Amino acid sequence: MNAKSARAILVLSAIAMAMVISPAVVSYPTGIQGVKESGCNCHGATTSSDVVPSIAGLPDQYNYSETYEITVSFVGGPANPSNANQGGFNLWVSDGELSPADATVQSYGANEVSHTEAGNDQTSWTLTWVSPSSDRNVEFVLHTNSVNGNADGANGGSSGDMWNRLTAKVSPPVLVLEEADPFVVLSTLIVVSAILLAFTLAYVFYRTNPESFTWDYFAPWIADWLTTTDHKKVGTLYFVAGLFFLGVGGIMAMMIRIQLAVPGNDFLTQDQYNQFFTLHGTTMIFLAAMPLINGFANWMVPLQIGAPDLALPRLNAMSFWLQPVGALLIFTGVFSGSGADTGWTGYAPYVVSETAHMGTTMWVAGQIMLVASSTLTGINFLTTIAVMRAPGMGWLQMPLFTWSILIANLMLFLSIPAFGIGLIQVYLDRVIGTAFYDVSAGGDPLLWSHLFWYFGHPEVYVVIVPAFGVISEVIATSARRSIFGYRSMVYAMAGIGVVSFIVYGHHMFTSGMSPTLRFVTMLTTMLVAVPTGIKIFNWLKTMHGGSLVYRTHTLWTLGFLVTFTLGGISGMFFPSIAMDLHLHESYFVVAHFHYVLVGGTVFGFYAAIYYWFPKMSGRMMDERLGVLHFLVGFISYNALFWPMHRLGVWGMARRHHTYFVTTEEAMGALPIEATGWNMFISVAAFIFFFSNFIMVANMIKTLIRGEKAPPDPWGGWSFEWMTTSPPPTPSFDPHNLPILSDANEHVANEPGTLSKLFNRLMVSEEEAEEASH
Amino acid sequence: MISILVSVFTFSWLYHHSFWYRSEDADNYDNPDEIAVGVFPKHNDDMRLEVAWTIAPFILIVWLTYVSWVPLDAVWSEIGEDGYHGDECEDGEFSNNHLDNQGIVTSECYHVIEITGKQWVWQFDCLDLSTEICDTGSDNIEVYGTVPLLSLKTGETYLARMMSEDVTHAPWFLGLGVKEDVHYSPETTLWLPISENVDDQIILCTEYCGDAHSVMAGKLVVHQ
């Protein structure tokens, strides 16, 4: 090791040591605040057994609302009556109310008291505690520090001081079970879900081939799944991961709905609620919706364009495996009880402030991994679709699902760098103290909003456009018709892709952004209705003159048309700025985006699952269970999200851990009816959540004993229906690729404008051959 | 009304086609578009229809934009512009608000107040205004406890200059139906036209600001 390295290590060690021992709480001599978790570390790094704290006057079992006089004290350590100071204390209680009994004690709210400056010269303090009026298991946490009185720094600051902690519990008159920590509940449910998933996979593995249920067979089988680069297997991995996180995000949603079922509820604290809605949003968008899209894209795009695999299979596997790593980072904070609490939007400057939780740093780091994953995925799909289409398949002969994936990835590819840059800036601000968003150092909070929404709004379309592709495929196949207006469907999707980049300002109408910019984005946002309207009318017209066969995927598609239209209409209220000023950040917004993202994206996924599962598994799903899933899911979904519109108009704000109804009508706060509606929503939420298990049960049943699926069970035209169910590997013989014919022969062999443009950009085979010589 | 018309039109169409074109026999059906595996099907389009439902929504949104534009000028009226709220009131001068039949308030002049947000409390400052025009204090709201109070006079218009001492906040005047973000920098502003039909109301924070965001409340009291 050279001298330079040694110096660097020395400096870094000194910095690390300084960070560890630096005081993290408000302390000496005027009281200690906020030390319940950290302890009095300004009086030493760890607890010392030389100091013995005690609490006198506490009953074993309290009486309701009774006042108890308590004495807290300590013995031991360097405290001595001859010192300038002797010590201090901090007492925290989980319930009831603490109050000072004299001037030596001060209050930091109902739950926390500490010594005053006047009380710094003693080892015993008196205070009162009013017990709760209901049955609670009450916990006391006492910290006492014993000091040697040299805290003026003249003789070494707080060196030689010692401190220790004492916890005590008091029982209620009627014994109650300990309340579970919501984080423990969440963590338990996630672990149980993961174990159930593993058991389910093992059970399906066993039932499909009992003979091979041995380690000798299982080890290479699992190794194959962990190292696969086959687009179908990577697609299945995405699919399983997406469904798992859909469940995890759903569990968080259920805990949020328990909290909001009644006004003033304390199931979740503010702090916990903030983390739950942050992770619910992040999980659903990045760890559920995106992987599910990638699952279908991985499976279907090569099959639809007649390619043996994706263009860059190993890159594809890497894209997937970045996701679980990112997920672990995102959830790190939750398992430590200090998860990100910023909302999925992570607005600056809060996201870089000291009040944001420590877990925010890992949450940001995890999202940077997901940005990398999405970028690699974008490269892969754009390349594959551009160069690996089967002979005869021009740009305007691609199946609409493939078109939707192309446009979604193009949007993602162009928007996600802005998000990545913003995340890296936030990460640097939080970790090494740069000042991109530190407002006191001149940082710009609106920069984050612009970077985030430049990505965030196209991202909304990134997750909805693939659902458009699915609906186009399903409705045409179910109606036995060619999709109405194929070309206008492509142009409409492309139009949505283009417009998505110039509408994001509508998320910032109340941000103080320039009124001119706000007006421009009001216009552009309204414009989104045009291509979206074209798509809805084209889907409806596709049914005209058709022969609609009702299958489960047809039902979900018709359901999609209802809910997505409603979501689109409610979305038209926001660009009307005068309305947005009231509705912004209210439950009307929550209702709108769930109508679009669940009623649109998730219903599209459900249609896709029922439509393509026979192709993926080689087994037909149970239609009766499918219809039951649709009926329960569709009704409970609307019962869940529709009333939220009303709550938003009444004035229920989102991201508030609770709400209060009032009989003071003139106050303009929520009316008493809001209580009933919230309970109704919570009940509907649980029914919707559990309705999804009908689909999971259907999938398991199908895999075990489903009827064998033919290559083309629904009568589709694209290449995926040409292969066996499930398809072989490679999906198509690279030396004998399928050739697409065209029922419109007069235009089939004419290269379109896009083909001509792209052909000019590509190196021709002749030129490539010449170059190789 | 427009939303209801669009919904009725779309859902009637969906309802009709879902049942009218329902398959009688899943295995036997006409195949007008020659759908077969590996064959791109015949185009099923109609240029006139497609153009029609491109232009019709376009006209509708142009009209909606125009309608939405009308109150926008009042919401973001430039400070000191005579169009809606005039210049800042001199001592003893009153706004004499007028509410037109479109619900837009115009005033002869306005008064300046300051609103400051900090984790997790609002601060109101009437500056040099007399207590007849503006007053502050605190009050107890059912369940929110003690909250800061802003008392404004009916018939007057106020321009709130807003700053934050830390992260971004946004006061939502529930009864007025307006909100605007409050930053550490730059300063933002919000018009508060107190017309005859404005009542006492709660003020919430609607830009997420951390732990106690949901109880960062205030109260607007309207006095005569």
Side-chain angles (χ1 to χ4, degrees), chain A residues 341 480 482 510 548 550 666, chain B residues 18 21 26 33 179 181 200 208:
Chain A
D341 62 336
R480 315 286 195 186
S482 175
T510 64
L548 196 65
Y550 276 83
Chain B
S18 302
Y21 294 109
D33 301 320
K179 58 175 77 81
D181 287 1
D200 293 357
Y208 176 71

Side-chain angles (χ1 to χ4, degrees), chain B residues 136-149:
Chain B
T136 59
S138 62
D139 197 2
N140 215 45
I141 303 185
E142 199 181 334
V143 298
Y144 281 94
T146 305
V147 297
L149 177 145

Side-chain angles (χ1 to χ4, degrees), chain A residues 103-145:
Chain A
T104 63
V105 177
Q106 61 181 318
S107 170
Y108 290 123
N111 294 80
E112 194 176 4
V113 287
S114 182
H115 62 275
T116 59
E117 192 165 358
N120 211 224
D121 189 23
Q122 55 198 67
T123 59
S124 174
W125 301 265
T126 306
L127 50 114
T128 58
W129 173 59
V130 180
S131 59
S133 56
S134 56
D135 295 308
R136 304 274 184 173
N137 291 310
V138 181
E139 184 188 7
F140 287 82
V141 180
L142 171 66
H143 285 89
T144 57
N145 54 64

Side-chain angles (χ1 to χ4, degrees), chain A residues 721-757:
Chain A
W721 306 115
M722 191 182 262
T723 63
T724 54
S725 301
T729 299
S731 300
F732 291 99
D733 181 355
H735 306 293
N736 186 23
L737 292 172
I739 298 170
L740 185 73
S741 352
D742 194 330
N744 314 278
E745 283 180 11
H746 58 290
V747 293
N749 299 316
E750 292 289 326
T753 315
L754 274 176
S755 292
K756 286 177 190 164
L757 176 70

Side-chain angles (χ1 to χ4, degrees), chain A residues 161-178:
Chain A
D161 295 351
M162 296 174 184
W163 62 276
N164 209 348
R165 177 188 290 127
L166 172 75
T167 58
K169 291 191 174 172
V170 178
S171 303
V174 178
L175 288 180
V176 291
L177 290 173
E178 288 279 344

